[in-house]
Amino acid sequence: MTAVVIEARGLGKCYRVRGHAPPTFFGALSRGLRRTRTERFWALRGVDFDISAGRTVGVIGPNGSGKSSLLGLVAGTIAPTEGSIRTQGRVASLLELGAGFHPDLTGRENVFLNAAILGIPREDIRRRYDRIVEFAGLREFMDQPVRNYSSGMYVRLGFAVAVELDPDILLIDEVLAVGDIAFQLKCLDRIRDFQRRGKTLLLVSHALQTVEEFCDDVFLMHRGHLVARGRPDEVILRYLREYMGEGGMIYTQEFGTREVEICDVRLTDASGRETGIFETGRALYVEIAFEARRRVENAVFGFSIKTGNGLYVFGSNTQILGMNIPPLFGEGRIRLVLDPLTLMQGTYLLSLAIHSADHTVQYHRREDWYPFAVRNPTGALGLFHLHSRWEFPFENR
């Protein structure tokens, strides 16, 4: 049986927030005559979970849901107000930009300071120093105070130190969103190496595609509570359906003249069952009920699909496909068929639109409105399934 390396029981964190009197003369006078009132804010409460060794767990949720407080409690940088948190093994964390760095010390001095805090012998970190600098790519800046570093330089050095100290548990809070693409890819490659070596990772991120690709389990946080835990595709889909747009999560849009209005939309499989989870190579049907409030000639129905991270995947419409829509008036139905569905495993956002043939009038558009997930049983990776085969041996033609 795999050992539990992170265990939380009844975990809660409460902060005291000072109240403010009204901004008036009498309010100012009253503040001078009595103590400022404080209010209690529970950033986290009643959280229970176990994480086994070697698991990679993602933590998602709207801004302010308690994700960073959870990682701070696991890291030990903040103390719980109630309940308990236990970890087993060495923990390294990247919880916020520059955490653990002293701004007046140089990059070199901060490397040794971080190692000392984690109990790494000075001689040991001296042997690893060149590898840290090489990974961070900051050799010419290591003797400068880190207060002069850019945000990307902070993250590069912090990540390089954390992974080189070879922790048993690595905590990462959104820092991979900072820095250039080359360094992000280097970090993700190192995370894969950690996974191969059986390390435990706890990852907070709004990059849902990254969470789905790397994580075995996902926690969904909302208003300080752990509201769901399970398979990445299922938990991410619930997140998108229930909390879309909350806390700056995804910016959905809806606009148009409503001369033709999208009234109801159902995503179904080939059997007609409404679902939000589909399989690569099978069919996805989008049933759209609409109403035209006046006679509309040459309307165009269109769709587009993005990844959970907002990457535009594909878009088309009835005009592109050479389909002429007869004049619309009153209620009607139309169906979009994706068969076979060639998208690979991931979480996606479907947009729908009805507009005029010359594209000057949007009758009704819902952008990033309909989330769905795709599972791929083959184990292949990527965005699209490409039909392929290998020929061995083969002859030149």
Side-chain angles (χ1 to χ4, degrees):
M1 184 175 179
T2 307
V4 173
V5 295
I6 307 176
E7 178 185 82
R9 292 292 180 269
L11 190 61
K13 180 62 182 176
C14 181
Y15 295 97
R16 296 189 179 275
V17 182
R18 292 186 177 274
H20 297 283
T24 65
F25 171 77
F26 293 106
L29 179 62
S30 66
R31 281 203 304 273
L33 296 177
R34 71 175 189 272
R35 297 177 63 183
T36 303
R37 184 182 66 183
T38 59
E39 297 179 354
R40 291 157 63 87
F41 168 70
W42 285 94
L44 209 70
R45 197 164 203 188
V47 173
D48 296 277
F49 63 83
D50 295 330
I51 297 177
S52 300
R55 304 291 285 178
T56 299
V57 177
V59 184
I60 62 175
N63 291 332
S65 60
K67 304 185 299 296
S68 295
S69 293
L70 176 62
L71 259 64
L73 289 164
V74 175
T77 57
I78 58 177
T81 306
E82 62 183 21
S84 64
I85 180 73
R86 179 187 66 83
T87 60
Q88 181 177 321
R90 179 185 293 165
V91 180
S93 56
L94 286 164
L95 301 188
E96 59 184 33
L97 201 57
F101 287 168
H102 192 293
D104 294 326
L105 299 180
T106 66
R108 182 190 303 271
E109 291 166 336
N110 270 293
V111 169
F112 285 92
L113 174 63
N114 270 257
I117 291 172
L118 292 172
I120 309 297
R122 188 174 183 84
E123 190 58 38
D124 192 6
I125 200 63
R126 187 176 284 118
R127 288 196 301 270
R128 304 183 188 193
Y129 179 79
D130 284 340
R131 288 201 299 268
I132 292 171
V133 175
E134 181 181 357
F135 188 91
L138 298 173
R139 187 169 299 277
E140 63 270 36
F141 303 102
M142 292 303 293
D143 292 314
Q144 293 187 20
V146 297
R147 65 170 178 267
N148 298 331
Y149 283 14
S150 68
S151 59
M153 293 165 70
Y154 260 117
V155 169
R156 287 158 63 183
L157 184 59
F159 193 90
V161 171
V163 297
E164 184 58 40
L165 297 184
D166 199 27
D168 302 296
I169 302 170
L170 181 61
L171 312 176
I172 304 176
D173 188 358
E174 205 62 78
V175 296
L176 297 183
V178 182
D180 58 48
I181 186 64
F183 184 75
Q184 290 180 29
L185 293 174
K186 188 189 294 188
C187 291
L188 294 176
D189 185 62
R190 187 58 64 92
I191 288 174
R192 290 188 183 94
D193 179 63
F194 264 53
Q195 292 176 314
R196 285 191 292 268
R197 294 194 288 129
K199 305 293 184 177
T200 305
L201 290 96
L202 196 56
L203 169 68
V204 165
S205 181
H206 286 294
L208 300 181
Q209 211 73 13
T210 301
V211 170
E212 186 150 14
E213 178 181 351
F214 283 89
C215 296
D216 306 304
D217 295 301
V218 174
F219 292 176
L220 174 56
M221 304 295 300
H222 187 248
R223 298 183 179 177
H225 298 282
L226 177 56
V227 296
R229 175 182 183 174
R231 286 181 52 125
D233 56 356
E234 294 176 352
V235 177
I236 290 172
L237 185 60
R238 177 174 172 179
Y239 177 23
L240 293 172
R241 283 180 162 178
E242 296 185 15
Y243 307 117
M244 183 183 290
E246 185 174 331
M249 164 48 201
I250 290 178
Y251 181 54
T252 59
Q253 298 182 72
E254 183 178 26
F255 54 88
T257 66
R258 304 293 183 95
E259 293 166 280
V260 185
E261 183 175 11
I262 299 170
C263 301
D264 185 53
V265 173
R266 296 175 69 246
L267 275 63
T268 72
D269 59 18
S271 68
R273 180 178 64 94
E274 189 169 5
T275 181
I277 300 178
F278 300 87
E279 189 173 302
T280 304
R282 302 291 181 89
L284 187 163
Y285 294 89
V286 183
E287 299 176 357
I288 305 166
F290 63 87
E291 182 179 2
R293 305 190 187 284
R294 68 168 181 82
R295 182 182 173 87
V296 173
E297 304 277 350
N298 301 320
V300 176
F301 289 81
F303 79 99
S304 66
I305 295 175
K306 298 177 185 174
T307 67
N309 291 349
L311 174 67
Y312 195 94
V313 176
F314 183 78
S316 186
N317 60 42
T318 54
Q319 188 178 55
I320 291 173
L321 295 177
M323 179 180 178
N324 295 317
I325 302 296
L328 304 179
F329 185 70
E331 296 180 350
R333 301 180 67 86
I334 190 170
R335 186 166 70 172
L336 168 66
V337 181
L338 302 176
D339 185 15
L341 181 64
T342 58
L343 293 172
M344 297 291 278
Q345 183 154 317
T347 305
Y348 299 89
L349 299 169
L350 171 68
S351 302
L352 295 174
I354 311 172
H355 58 80
S356 62
D358 60 5
H359 296 251
T360 60
V361 180
Q362 289 282 344
Y363 299 126
H364 196 184
R365 185 176 188 88
R366 286 179 170 172
E367 190 76 23
D368 300 335
W369 204 268
Y370 306 98
F372 66 95
V374 178
R375 291 178 179 172
N376 179 9
T378 68
L381 301 175
L383 281 178
F384 285 100
H385 173 75
L386 299 179
H387 293 283
S388 58
R389 70 177 187 271
W390 295 89
E391 297 178 347
F392 178 80
F394 75 98
E395 297 180 359
N396 290 326
R397 296 174 181 174

